[in-house]
Amino acid sequence: NAGVTQTPKFQVLKTGQSMTLQCAQDMNHNSMYWYRQDPGMGLRLIYYSASEGTTDKGEVPNGYNVSRLNKREFSLRLESAAPSQTSVYFCASSGTGVIDTQYFGPGTRLTVL
Amino acid sequence: QKEVEQNSGPLSVPEGAIASLNCTYSDRGSQSFFWYRQYSGKSPELIMSIYSNGDKEDGRFTAQLNKASQYVSLLIRDSQPSDSATYLCAVTRRGGYSTLTFGKGTMLLVSP
């Protein structure tokens, strides 16, 4: 099992450009999440999907959109990138059992110039 | 607003010592507690989870939970240089669906 995979690993954008971060999991998990991590700010939830077909805003959703393409895949889109979106982005997934353990992907390091 | 507080550190301990990492949380409805380890440039990985008051041991790691004091800690015995990392505390409510709230993490440095 690959677990949670993310593409790309690194990306540099210019202000105003758009891009989509891809995430896939092979653990048959129902729930998936997108976080950003900035120095001194910790992990902050952008969007999550409790199950296939549903998405909800997290703590910092502005400037982002998401798509739960199917049970395996959850993408994050930046429509018009801004320097404030320079960050490391992590995707995570979890099952729906009593234990809410989240498993993280390797991350995407995004720089917006 | 739900908050999880951790001392940012760094916490420096010599090899072989016990490292004690602390976390407090504001939401009294929190019932599930997690410790993640994050090496520099890597993603968080789960070390321990704890749901009941008291201690839970797993190898060199012991998680301690006190819900009355809204306090959770992680003890690392016989600390090794490979334990040098940032440790993230995360909490969530149990039952139904809820999201994790993470602390900002404590950096641990274990010197040989």
Side-chain angles (χ1 to χ4, degrees), chain B:
Chain B
Q1 183 171 349
K2 302 172 189 176
E3 293 184 345
V4 178
E5 300 288 340
Q6 296 180 255
N7 189 318
S8 62
L11 172 66
S12 295
V13 300
E15 184 174 357
I18 295 175
S20 178
L21 303 161
N22 304 315
C23 172
T24 59
Y25 58 95
S26 63
D27 182 7
R28 284 199 170 272
S30 299
Q31 293 184 289
S32 301
F33 306 87
F34 304 87
W35 283 100
Y36 284 82
R37 178 176 61 198
Q38 186 175 24
Y39 291 113
S40 180
K42 302 296 185 181
S43 59
E45 56 177 327
L46 181 71
I47 299 175
M48 296 277 291
S49 58
I50 187 166
Y51 309 102
S52 304
N53 279 329
D55 295 358
K56 179 181 178 182
E57 187 175 317
D58 184 359
R60 296 186 297 113
F61 299 96
T62 299
Q64 299 175 318
L65 175 61
N66 185 325
K67 289 184 181 178
S69 300
Q70 295 178 245
Y71 176 90
V72 58
S73 65
L74 179 70
L75 300 178
I76 306 175
R77 290 182 300 281
D78 188 24
S79 295
Q80 301 297 308
S82 59
D83 294 326
S84 297
T86 296
Y87 289 80
L88 305 173
C89 174
V91 306
T92 187
R93 290 184 168 221
R94 206 172 183 182
Y97 183 81
S98 61
T99 58
L100 283 176
T101 300
F102 282 86
K104 295 179 181 179
T106 298
M107 181 183 293
L108 173 66
L109 299 176
V110 181
S111 55

Side-chain angles (χ1 to χ4, degrees), chain A:
Chain A
N1 285 354
V4 181
T5 57
Q6 293 182 237
T7 56
K9 287 186 170 56
F10 301 94
Q11 184 70 48
V12 178
L13 293 177
K14 295 181 179 178
T15 296
Q17 288 185 318
S18 62
M19 79 160 295
T20 300
L21 281 64
Q22 305 287 353
C23 174
Q25 52 89 11
D26 62 3
M27 296 177 282
N28 200 35
H29 284 167
N30 286 325
S31 303
M32 299 185 73
Y33 315 80
W34 277 105
Y35 292 91
R36 60 177 290 173
Q37 188 174 39
D38 304 292
M41 298 297 294
L43 279 162
R44 293 184 291 171
L45 183 65
I46 304 172
Y47 270 94
Y48 65 98
S49 171
S51 61
E52 187 178 355
T54 68
T55 60
D56 286 285
K57 296 178 180 180
E59 181 185 354
V60 289
N62 291 345
Y64 305 95
N65 285 301
V66 291
S67 295
R68 184 73 182 268
L69 304 171
N70 47 55
K71 189 172 185 178
R72 290 187 63 249
E73 299 172 289
F74 189 37
S75 63
L76 179 71
R77 183 161 178 84
L78 287 70
E79 291 291 352
S80 180
S84 60
Q85 294 177 305
T86 293
S87 187
V88 180
Y89 291 85
F90 289 104
C91 177
S93 70
S94 68
T96 55
V98 174
I99 299 174
D100 306 302
T101 304
Q102 292 186 18
Y103 298 90
F104 285 80
T108 295
R109 189 172 295 273
L110 175 67
T111 300
V112 183
L113 302 175

